[in-house]
Amino acid sequence: MSAPGFTGAGLDRADHLRLDAERMADMMANGDARLLRLAELDPVLDQQGRLAWGTLDEAEGDYLFLGLDQGAPLFAPLVRTEAIGGRAWSVFRLLALMSPKDAAIWGAARSLNEWHNRHRFCGICGSATASYRAGWGRKCPACGAEHFPRVDPVVIMLAEHDGRVLLARQPQYPAGRYSALAGFVEPGESIEEAVARELMEEAGVAVEDVRYVASQPWPFPGSLMIACTARAESDEVRLDTAELEDAIWASRAEVDAALAGDPAAPFQAPPPFAIANTLLTRWSAGG
Ligand SMILES: [Zn+2]
């Protein structure tokens, strides 16, 4: 069974080298060192659909050390951009062409870049901050505060009732697309509590027996998607129409048809690089 999207980069992140200026300079001068090409924050692909890489001479300004790929140091530029918060469908089309490893490497570079762009000023004293730890932090020269990249936990879940799972669509989805419900974990909440709250808020469905299935980083901008299943007490749905346009209960056969891309399926499945696809695949296989 395939791994969740944006995982499997296979890099040695080599945290111990991030503060070692001498080793970092050596690695940048290393003939095997490569610099990821980005268009703003989007991936640039070569003729074969692989991530395009350049050399470190092309680096202007700050850089991010992504890690070692079988000994070869990989870097990404620190891109100063106003184009943050984006999740263009054009990127989704590129992702459909990319290998899992390339998607994972680009995803990390995108998330980290987005975090830098959102944290240019110190949240404590308001001064301009500067990148340090080879891109894995920012430091405030005025008050000395250190700021580290954050990931936002998001629960994404299938409520299950009598052999069927609850799927919903947001108005901005492509025609026919249905997916698992999702929402941010809030301060003071466990994963289980967030799953139960989101299903109640968005669909009026009460659940118990929340079970973890899998997780994936989601680089729009920096979420950690935590996929779960939960048992619904009833199949009665009271939809929050401010967030969702429609909801359906799908059987295993219907889920399988959608995952197979069957045009007769009652809904269109989320793309393979989205964990909702992994979640549906594993739920179907697990029954
Ligand atoms: Zn400060």
Side-chain angles (χ1 to χ4, degrees), residues 170-278:
Q170 297 175 9
Q172 70 269 27
Y173 283 177
R177 166 81 52 82
Y178 281 75
S179 190
L181 278 73
F184 287 100
V185 179
E186 295 187 343
E189 221 175 24
S190 68
I191 291 169
E192 292 84 349
E193 288 168 330
V195 165
R197 175 183 54 77
E198 284 288 340
L199 284 167
M200 180 53 74
E201 281 177 5
E202 296 191 357
V205 170
V207 295
E208 53 190 11
D209 195 19
V210 174
R211 290 174 189 235
Y212 169 84
V213 176
S215 70
Q216 81 166 177
W218 180 250
F220 307 101
S223 296
L224 175 66
M225 308 297 294
I226 304 161
C228 298
T229 58
R231 194 153 40 81
E233 292 166 8
S234 141
D235 63 357
E236 201 174 309
V237 172
R238 195 185 64 246
L239 209 60
D240 173 4
T241 50
E243 298 231 6
L244 301 169
E245 190 175 83
D246 188 31
I248 54 171
W249 290 96
S251 69
R252 186 160 274 112
E254 290 169 332
V255 166
D256 286 345
L259 288 169
D262 181 345
F267 70 98
Q268 197 189 93
F273 55 81
I275 199 161
N277 186 293
T278 311

Side-chain angles (χ1 to χ4, degrees), residues 122 124-127 140 142-145 147:
C122 178
I124 297 169
C125 76
S127 304
C140 176
C143 76
H147 303 278

Side-chain angles (χ1 to χ4, degrees), residues 98-131:
M98 290 162 66
S99 71
K101 179 185 171 92
D102 274 2
I105 291 172
W106 169 77
R110 192 201 186 289
S111 268
L112 196 51
N113 256 305
E114 179 118 4
W115 176 80
H116 280 280
N117 276 279
R118 288 168 185 265
H119 293 82
R120 295 161 54 219
F121 298 93
C122 178
I124 297 169
C125 76
S127 304
T129 55
S131 175

Side-chain angles (χ1 to χ4, degrees), residues 37-124:
R37 291 221 167 95
L38 293 173
E40 288 277 280
L41 300 181
D42 291 352
V44 176
L45 304 186
D46 67 14
Q47 302 280 1
Q48 284 77 43
R50 295 173 305 207
L51 280 177
W53 296 88
T55 60
L56 269 288
D57 330 328
E58 298 166 33
E60 288 173 29
D62 285 324
Y63 59 87
L64 314 170
F65 173 56
L66 299 176
L68 301 166
D69 186 13
Q70 293 170 346
L74 302 187
F75 295 87
L78 202 170
V79 180
R80 174 77 193 102
T81 174
E82 304 290 329
I84 57 173
R87 181 161 62 154
W89 295 103
S90 57
V91 174
F92 288 178
R93 278 195 291 277
L94 291 179
L95 280 165
L97 306 171
M98 290 162 66
S99 71
K101 179 185 171 92
D102 274 2
I105 291 172
W106 169 77
R110 192 201 186 289
S111 268
L112 196 51
N113 256 305
E114 179 118 4
W115 176 80
H116 280 280
N117 276 279
R118 288 168 185 265
H119 293 82
R120 295 161 54 219
F121 298 93
C122 178
I124 297 169

Side-chain angles (χ1 to χ4, degrees), residues 10 18 20 25 71 86 97 156 169 186 189 199 203 212 282-283:
R18 291 171 179 169
D20 188 334
L97 306 171
I156 179 163
R169 62 171 278 113
E186 295 187 343
E189 221 175 24
L199 284 167
Y212 169 84
R282 294 197 184 176
W283 172 75

